[in-house]
């Protein structure tokens, strides 16, 4: 299937994990892909494999994020995937740690989106997908500020969907649950790792972690023409985690 032939897509944090999965899927289906990543060597290796372009940018620097998006040229598709968590009970966290989370997960997303929107408005077409988390929908013990950033992304997407529907632009949030990314191997290998992974699995109705392919397939659907009547939605890909306790 070549659902993205002729489409130019930028995926932030597309050098590994979920972003890499989405970048690979979009490229496989014909998109011209730009991977925007903090670490160029990692992104370049993936880009070389899939025939994409890699650019180095730390999106928490809003000027740099803006420049990287503008430099990519007019975009049909923007996937705001770059994000991170900094776990810890809220009482033990500090304003510096809050700020770092806000700077990447929100400010970086705002900056990339702000830079991409005018081109989409002019073209009368655009697909924006913000990669959220079930933490933003149902909360997450030990991840309060991360959850707050992901909850804010859902409100951001809905508001942008309202503002830009008239220009043929859809904006949705992918509400991701626990996914088996390479990073989880580190968790598994740690002292309490197996218990932590078991708890993640138990939090889903399907009692397992999701795969990168499952996330990429859902993202690709939402970004495709098949989803042309879907905007402002929180699209869960979390094994049912978002509907209540398992
Ligand atoms: N893995 C999961 O189970 C899970 C669950 C829910 C939500 N998510 C969300 O999915 C997204 C991707 O997560 P992942 O698990 O693939 O993580 P990851 O750490 O494997 O990948 C994140 C990518 O984003 C990049 N990145 C982070 N901060 C950046 C910055 N300031 N500028 C540019 N690039 C930056 C990293 O370099 C990395 O390439 C994140 O937004 C995360 O919050 C992941």
């Amino acid at each position: 299937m070549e659902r993205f032939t002729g489409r130019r897509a930028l995926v932030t944090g597309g050098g590994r994990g979920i972003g890499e999965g989405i970048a690979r899927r979009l490229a496989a289906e014909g998109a011209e892909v730009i991977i925007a990543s903090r670490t160029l060597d990692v992104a370049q290796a993936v880009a070389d494999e899939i025939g994409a372009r890699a650019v180095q940018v730390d999106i928490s620097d809003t000027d740099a994020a803006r420049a990287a998006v503008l430099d990519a040229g007019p975009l049909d598709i923007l996937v705001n995937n770059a994000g991170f968590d900094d776990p810890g009970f809220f009482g033990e966290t500090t304003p510096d740690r809050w700020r770092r989370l806000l700077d990447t997960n929100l400010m970086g997303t705002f900056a990339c989106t702000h830079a991409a929107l005018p081109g989409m408005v002019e073209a009368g077409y655009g697909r924006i997908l913000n990669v959220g988390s079930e933490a933003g929908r149902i909360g997450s013990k030990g991840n309060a500020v991360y959850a707050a950033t992901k909850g804010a992304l859902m409100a951001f997407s809905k508001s942008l969907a309202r503002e830009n529907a008239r220009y043929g632009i859809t904006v949705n949030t992918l509400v991701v649950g626990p996914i088996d990314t390479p990073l989880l191997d580190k968790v598994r290998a740690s002292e309490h790792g197996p218990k932590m992974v078991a708890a993640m699995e138990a939090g889903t109705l399907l009692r397992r972690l999701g795969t990168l392919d499952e996330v990429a397939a859902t993202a690709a659907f939402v970004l495709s023409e098949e989803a042309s009547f879907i905007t402002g939605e929180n699209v869960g890909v979390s094994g049912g985690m978002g509907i209540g306790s398992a």
Side-chain angles (χ1 to χ4, degrees):
M1 246 191 310
E2 294 260 317
R3 290 181 291 185
F4 302 106
T5 302
R7 299 288 186 208
R8 183 182 292 141
L10 185 141
V11 182
T12 66
R16 71 170 193 219
I18 288 170
E20 178 188 349
I22 295 173
R24 283 183 184 277
R25 174 62 68 105
L26 294 178
E29 294 197 33
E32 175 192 340
V33 173
I34 298 113
I35 296 176
S37 174
R38 231 175 1 183
T39 38
L40 188 60
D41 51 342
V42 176
Q44 192 65 58
V46 176
D48 288 346
E49 246 186 78
I50 66 175
R53 187 151 38 112
V55 298
Q56 195 278 328
V57 63
D58 179 341
I59 62 159
S60 68
D61 174 343
T62 53
D63 289 339
R66 176 171 199 81
V69 170
L70 292 178
D71 198 47
L75 300 175
D76 303 292
I77 294 170
L78 173 66
V79 181
N80 286 310
N81 162 80
F84 76 106
D85 191 4
D86 179 13
F89 281 98
F90 183 64
E92 288 148 22
T93 61
T94 59
D96 273 354
R97 288 172 65 183
W98 310 339
R99 231 169 255 123
R100 277 197 292 275
L101 281 166
L102 296 176
D103 279 347
T104 290
N105 296 5
L106 288 179
M107 294 295 280
T109 295
F110 296 165
C112 292
T113 307
H114 196 258
L117 261 177
M120 291 180 175
V121 167
E122 200 181 323
Y125 181 88
R127 293 271 181 277
I128 298 174
L129 186 65
N130 294 318
V131 177
S133 166
E134 285 294 2
R137 185 148 67 170
I138 62 173
S140 176
K141 194 162 70 179
N143 302 285
V145 179
Y146 170 79
T149 66
K150 294 299 186 179
L153 274 190
M154 295 194 279
F156 178 58
S157 299
K158 286 178 186 292
S159 304
L160 279 191
R162 290 182 186 279
E163 290 181 8
N164 294 286
R166 78 190 86 165
Y167 304 118
I169 300 169
T170 68
V171 189
N172 292 287
T173 306
L174 196 66
V175 188
V176 180
I179 304 302
D180 202 353
T181 61
L183 274 195
L184 214 64
D185 293 340
K186 260 197 207 157
V187 177
R188 279 196 185 93
S190 67
E191 193 190 341
H192 301 293
K195 250 195 195 161
M196 287 164 71
V197 173
M200 289 178 196
E201 290 170 345
T204 72
L205 296 186
L206 296 175
R207 304 282 187 206
R208 66 172 176 83
L209 303 176
T211 66
L212 286 176
D213 277 350
E214 287 170 323
V215 180
T218 311
F221 166 68
V222 176
L223 293 167
S224 76
E225 284 318 296
E226 291 166 289
S228 48
F229 206 46
I230 297 178
T231 193
E233 294 289 356
N234 299 325
V235 181
V237 53
S238 65
M241 183 178 249
I243 70 162
S245 64

